[in-house]
Amino acid sequence: MKQISYILFIFVCSHFPNRLMAANFDTLTAHKLLQLLAQQQVAVHPHFTTGTFPAYRTYHFNSPKADDNIFFTGLIVFTLQQLYPLVAQTDKVIIDSIVKRAKPAFNSFKNKTGRNTYNFWQTQPSIFFPNGGWLNWMNRLMALPDDMDDTVISLLALNTDSTTAQAVHNLMQLYTNLHNGKMIHNTKKLLKEFQAYSTWFGNKMPIDFDVCVLANVLYFVQYYQLPFSKADSAAVNVIKKSIEENYILKNAVIISPHYQRTPVILYHLARLMSLPGFHALDNYKSSLIQLAQNILMKPSTHYFDKIILASALLKWNQSIPHNFSIKIPPLHQFFTANNFVFFKANMGSILPLPFKSIFKKLGIGEFDYDAPAYNMVLLLEYLLLQEQYNQIQP
C-alpha cells in the first residue's frame, strides 16, 4: 500500500514548486490533493478497515507496522468538513464521497455495548496494537478503554445529533480528576487540583490530562452549544495555567503526553479558539501568536511543523510573515517520512510523574504514528486557509 502511495505522490510532485510560499496557491493543487486523498481511502485491505485511511506506527528503529485505527480517519473527515465551504463544487463532490465511504468504518471502533464512545482501535473484537506480534497475545488482558479524544473526534466527524452529544457530555462528567476521590499523579503540581477531564473512560485507568485532548473536548462542547460544566471550566483552567507557566513550551511532554510537541499543541489551541463563540482563551491569544511566530521562523523547525504553525496563525487571523517559506524535500519524505509526528501512543503516559519522565527519556513503550493521508489534509488545510485569508484582506 505504501509503495503505491509513493507512486501517486510522485505524480503530484510536479505540481509543487521547490518552495511553498505563503501566497502561492493554485486551486488545481487543492483539487489534485483531494483526488489523491480519495485514492488513499481503503477499499479492501488485509490490515485496514474498509473506508479508513492507512496509518503506521514505528517503535524506535523498527520498520513501520500497519495500524488499523479510527483516529486519523476521524481527523481527516472532521477537517474536510471544516474545509468544505472553502473548496470548489467539484471538490465538494470528492469530499462527499470520502465522507460517505468513511462513516460505516466508525462502527468497528464504537464501544461494543453500543454506548456512543469510541476507541482508538477496533472493539469487536478488542485489539491491542494491531499487527503487534507478541503484543496481540494481550488483546483481552490489555484492551484499551475508550477515550475522550477519539470519541469527540468521531462524533464530530459523524455529525452526531445534539441529543447524543449531550448524553456523551453527561457521561464525561464521571471521568474527571478528583471524581470519587481519584486524583491525577502524572502532571505538574499546579495542575493537580483542577477537576478536568481525564483522557480515558476506563474506570481502572489512572487519571490523565492532555491539553490537546482537553482542547478537542472543549471544541466539541462549544460546537454543540452544550451547557458549560464544572469539568469544562476546569479544562479551560488547565490550558490557561499551562500557558501562564510556559508548560506548553518547556513541559509539552508532561502536559500533552499523547501529542507531546509545542507546534501540535498550538495547532489544537488555534483550532479551538477559531470556533465562533469560544472566547475563554482570548486573553492569551497574543502570547500564543508570538510563540507560534517564533517557532515558525526558526531555520531548524521541521517543514511540517511550519505547515501546522502557519495554519494556526491563519486560524488566529494573522498574516504569514513575508519571508516565510517551506523548503520541500523529496516527495516521499514530505508525505511519508516518520520524522513528522502528530500523535504518539505512549504506554508510559499514565505512570506517576517521576516514572513517566524516565519512560520518556528511555523511549520505553512509545510509538510514533504516521498517516500520509492526514499529512495531505494538513497541507490542503494550509493552502485553503491562506487563499481564504488573501481573499478577505483589503
Side-chain angles (χ1 to χ4, degrees):
M1 182 72 179
K2 249 190 169 183
Q3 287 76 11
I4 296 174
S5 299
Y6 293 155
I7 295 172
L8 292 172
F9 292 144
I10 289 171
F11 169 73
V12 78
C13 184
S14 61
H15 297 280
F16 289 109
N18 290 329
R19 296 167 72 86
L20 244 178
M21 305 303 289
N24 186 3
F25 177 84
D26 184 346
T27 55
L28 185 61
T29 299
H31 181 67
K32 289 189 178 297
L33 280 173
L34 282 168
Q35 286 181 316
L36 290 173
L37 179 66
Q39 293 173 19
Q40 295 297 296
Q41 196 166 14
V42 174
V44 178
H45 196 283
H47 298 310
F48 298 112
T49 301
T50 298
T52 63
F53 290 87
Y56 305 87
R57 70 175 185 273
T58 304
Y59 184 65
H60 287 298
F61 300 105
N62 290 353
S63 299
K65 290 181 179 286
D67 190 286
D68 187 29
N69 64 73
I70 200 61
F71 174 74
F72 287 106
T73 298
L75 283 175
I76 287 169
V77 173
F78 166 55
T79 307
L80 288 179
Q81 290 177 154
Q82 285 184 309
L83 299 175
Y84 196 81
L86 305 183
V87 302
Q89 185 58 42
T90 53
D91 294 334
K92 285 183 170 66
V93 174
I94 298 175
I95 292 176
D96 288 339
S97 175
I98 290 172
V99 172
K100 182 178 180 180
R101 286 186 287 156
K103 283 188 173 182
F106 287 83
N107 292 327
S108 297
F109 301 84
K110 188 175 181 179
N111 187 277
K112 54 189 173 185
T113 68
R115 187 179 72 180
N116 288 308
T117 59
Y118 289 81
N119 204 288
F120 187 79
W121 291 315
Q122 283 203 31
T123 57
Q124 302 182 48
S126 297
I127 297 176
F128 185 73
F129 285 101
N131 305 302
W134 65 269
L135 286 172
N136 295 136
W137 297 348
M138 298 185 285
N139 280 347
R140 291 189 178 182
L141 179 64
M142 297 289 289
L144 196 71
D146 298 345
D147 64 89
M148 295 204 182
D149 211 24
D150 284 290
T151 293
V152 298
I153 289 169
S154 296
L155 292 174
L156 286 163
L158 291 167
N159 280 322
T160 195
D161 59 89
S162 57
T163 300
T164 298
Q166 181 64 72
V168 172
H169 187 236
N170 291 342
L171 177 67
M172 288 176 175
Q173 311 312 308
L174 304 179
Y175 299 92
T176 62
N177 186 37
L178 301 177
H179 181 74
N180 291 334
K182 194 175 180 182
M183 184 176 183
I184 191 168
H185 296 290
N186 64 346
T187 193
K188 302 295 288 186
K189 183 177 180 180
L190 293 176
L191 304 179
K192 288 184 177 181
E193 298 301 322
F194 292 116
Q195 297 181 35
Y197 299 106
S198 178
T199 299
W200 309 99
F201 282 103
N203 290 316
K204 296 180 181 180
M205 292 288 283
I207 303 296
D208 174 50
F209 284 168
D210 188 302
V211 294
C212 292
V213 176
L214 295 177
N216 287 338
V217 171
L218 290 169
Y219 188 104
F220 173 79
V221 172
Q222 180 64 33
Y223 181 85
Y224 282 100
Q225 296 290 295
L226 303 175
F228 236 55
S229 69
K230 184 177 181 179
D232 296 321
S233 297
V236 170
N237 287 331
V238 168
I239 295 173
K240 285 181 177 180
K241 184 61 69 174
S242 296
I243 298 170
E244 292 168 357
E245 300 296 328
N246 208 22
Y247 294 156
I248 63 172
L249 179 63
K250 295 183 177 180
N251 301 106
V253 172
I254 294 175
I255 62 156
S256 184
H258 308 289
Y259 292 88
Q260 300 198 3
R261 300 190 309 105
T262 303
V264 181
I265 295 173
L266 290 169
Y267 175 83
H268 277 82
L269 295 181
R271 182 167 66 192
L272 169 63
M273 294 167 69
S274 68
L275 192 61
F278 186 87
H279 300 292
L281 299 174
D282 283 359
N283 290 342
Y284 302 89
K285 184 175 178 179
S286 60
S287 62
L288 292 172
I289 289 170
Q290 186 63 59
L291 177 58
Q293 290 173 335
N294 291 343
I295 300 174
L296 179 70
M297 300 310 295
K298 287 183 177 179
S300 60
T301 298
H302 190 280
Y303 50 86
F304 241 113
D305 282 339
K306 288 190 175 185
I307 288 173
I308 62 174
L309 287 168
S311 291
L313 289 171
L314 291 166
K315 288 176 184 290
W316 280 314
N317 198 32
Q318 296 295 303
S319 62
I320 306 301
H322 292 297
N323 58 341
F324 165 71
S325 65
I326 304 174
K327 293 183 179 179
I328 302 301
L331 191 63
H332 70 279
Q333 293 181 31
F334 183 71
F335 284 111
T336 63
N338 294 323
N339 60 350
F340 173 69
V341 180
F342 187 81
F343 169 82
K344 287 178 179 280
N346 187 358
M347 296 172 68
S349 65
I350 60 175
L351 296 174
L353 192 54
F355 299 102
K356 177 179 176 179
S357 300
I358 292 170
F359 266 55
K360 171 61 183 175
K361 289 179 181 179
L362 296 176
I364 299 174
E366 190 168 272
F367 299 80
D368 292 343
Y369 271 78
D370 165 41
Y374 186 52
N375 292 353
M376 294 173 67
V377 171
L378 289 173
L379 174 61
L380 175 68
E381 179 181 47
Y382 162 67
L383 294 173
L384 290 171
L385 289 177
Q386 181 62 62
E387 174 65 8
Q388 180 191 44
Y389 182 85
N390 291 342
Q391 289 178 349
I392 63 176
Q393 294 309 301

